Amino acid sequence: MRHVILDCDPGHDDAIAILMLLADPDLALDGISVVAGNQTLDKTVHNTLRVLTVAGRTDVPVYAGMARPMARDLVTAAYVHGESGLDGPDLPEPPVGPAQMHAVDWLAQHLEAVEEPIDVVATGPLSNLGMVLRRDSTLARKVRRLVLMGGAVAEGNVTPSAEFNIYVDPEAAQTVFEAGIATTMVGLDVTHRAMLYRGDIERLRAIGGPVPTMAADLLAFVSRFHLRRYGVDGTAVHDACAVAALRQPDVLTTRHLRVDVETRGSLTDGRTVVDLWGVTGREPNTEVGFDIDRDAFVALLEKDLARLAGSSE
Ligand code: RIB
Ligand code: CA
């Protein structure tokens, strides 16, 4: 059984990522650390608990983490995810709350305690992980692989230069990229190649049951943003691509390259600077995603939702 931690900011695509981790019978989800990002921390924690409730998995411990970036003011994304951070479906109130321990304390304690390095999937701003590594950089050796949704080789989405997760906390992101962890970057270059269109979403809805219905409602809601922004009747499912990359690495096409994060730019703040041709002479530190097998991704998502169709609380 492989052990994994998810660090996230639900968010519609984070919710799908949670479901895809729960659906994998070979993965043990040790806990979910939550960060402010798509919405404020109180809302991203509440959303995490709501998704776990629908999935019948309120046994998974949830830890509230950083309510703001390490060195900046918080930027949120209500324009994508709505005021709740998970607008669209009518979701139940969770019967449980988050654990008492702060996520940064739990992450540090858990990584220290595990005998074998474990996997970490990060699908929000990297404030929690940045703080853990600032506190004790040796904890990097307890992470077998970090798969993060964030960054881009080409265009950004929150500015022309920067992708949202990195843009919100560039200092944390640079701390993570330079920590010496085996890292896979699932950026926008990848996630925009795995779009789900209206027909795909309705096929997922047709699986039936509370979880597929919630997933379809979430995807339909966030498609509205993609239609406004990109003129496409569908949506990228950014964070779910990171989970697919963890579970089925062959789904991703990557190159081992140097990635650093701009923290002092005016137009380029939060940009992942990918050294495509090694011109900096800096040691490559990241498996950078360039492409994804969309059919394999969609098939995995469909199989996962079918597996979860019967579960609910
Ligand atoms: O840029 C997309 C990323 O920012 C996704 O993780 C989304 O959930 C938001 O956090
Ligand atoms: Ca996210």
Side-chain angles (χ1 to χ4, degrees):
M1 185 73 88
R2 276 170 67 182
H3 288 262
V4 63
I5 287 170
L6 173 68
D7 188 73
C8 59
D9 65 332
H12 292 66
D13 52 335
D14 302 79
I16 306 299
I18 291 171
L19 296 176
M20 291 182 74
L21 285 171
L22 296 176
D24 190 325
D26 300 323
L27 284 184
L29 181 54
D30 290 354
I32 299 178
S33 50
V34 187
V35 67
N38 282 322
Q39 260 297 356
T40 52
L41 182 66
D42 57 321
K43 294 178 179 178
T44 54
V45 169
H46 187 238
N47 293 336
T48 304
L49 293 165
R50 293 200 292 169
V51 171
L52 290 173
T53 300
V54 175
R57 290 300 310 275
T58 52
D59 60 294
V60 176
V62 173
Y63 300 87
M66 297 292 283
R68 52 166 298 159
M70 289 183 9
R72 297 172 183 247
D73 293 333
L74 177 62
V75 172
T76 57
Y79 62 95
V80 180
H81 300 278
E83 273 314 304
S84 73
L86 211 58
D87 282 16
D90 181 18
L91 300 179
E93 282 305 304
V96 295
Q100 285 306 305
M101 186 179 268
H102 190 285
V104 172
D105 296 331
W106 175 73
L107 285 165
Q109 174 185 277
H110 192 71
L111 289 174
E112 188 57 53
V114 294
E115 289 181 14
E116 293 301 320
I118 63 174
D119 294 326
V120 178
V121 179
T123 62
L126 294 164
S127 313
N128 289 338
L129 295 178
M131 289 297 287
V132 170
L133 293 164
R134 287 277 179 97
R135 177 186 294 185
D136 180 356
S137 61
T138 68
L139 289 174
R141 62 180 162 70
K142 299 305 260 324
V143 180
R144 190 186 74 89
R145 176 155 293 275
L146 167 65
V147 182
L148 66 89
M149 192 281 138
V153 179
E155 67 184 73
N157 58 0
V158 64
T159 74
S161 290
E163 178 279 326
F164 179 81
N165 286 338
I166 310 300
Y167 178 77
V168 168
D169 200 336
E171 287 75 15
Q174 179 60 26
T175 298
V176 170
F177 277 109
E178 64 187 11
I181 299 171
T183 299
T184 300
M185 179 178 114
V186 180
L188 297 175
D189 321 90
V190 166
T191 62
H192 282 165
R193 293 169 180 260
M195 299 286 287
L196 288 184
Y197 300 100
R198 181 185 296 268
D200 300 309
I201 295 169
E202 291 318 307
R203 200 170 62 249
L204 297 177
R205 185 186 304 282
I207 295 170
V211 172
T213 302
M214 172 180 68
D217 287 345
L218 290 170
L219 293 167
F221 178 86
V222 76
S223 294
R224 298 181 203 171
F225 164 74
H226 278 79
L227 188 58
R228 287 195 308 272
R229 161 76 65 88
Y230 301 107
V232 173
D233 187 8
T235 184
V237 203
H238 306 284
D239 299 335
C241 294
V243 172
L246 174 82
R247 293 169 61 191
Q248 296 181 358
D250 292 347
V251 76
L252 215 57
T253 302
T254 65
R255 289 172 57 188
H256 191 48
L257 299 169
R258 177 72 194 193
V259 178
D260 288 289
V261 178
E262 179 58 71
T263 59
R264 291 175 297 180
S266 53
L267 297 176
T268 57
D269 232 16
R271 179 161 185 75
T272 46
V273 179
V274 180
D275 185 358
L276 284 172
W277 308 112
V279 298
T280 64
R282 292 168 70 95
E283 187 70 26
N285 56 359
T286 306
E287 288 298 333
V288 177
F290 282 81
D291 199 357
I292 187 169
D293 179 340
R294 178 187 177 276
D295 292 345
F297 166 71
V298 175
L300 181 64
L301 173 57
E302 204 159 351
K303 182 179 168 191
D304 287 345
L305 292 180
R307 197 177 272 151
L308 295 174
S311 63
S312 181
E313 239 167 37

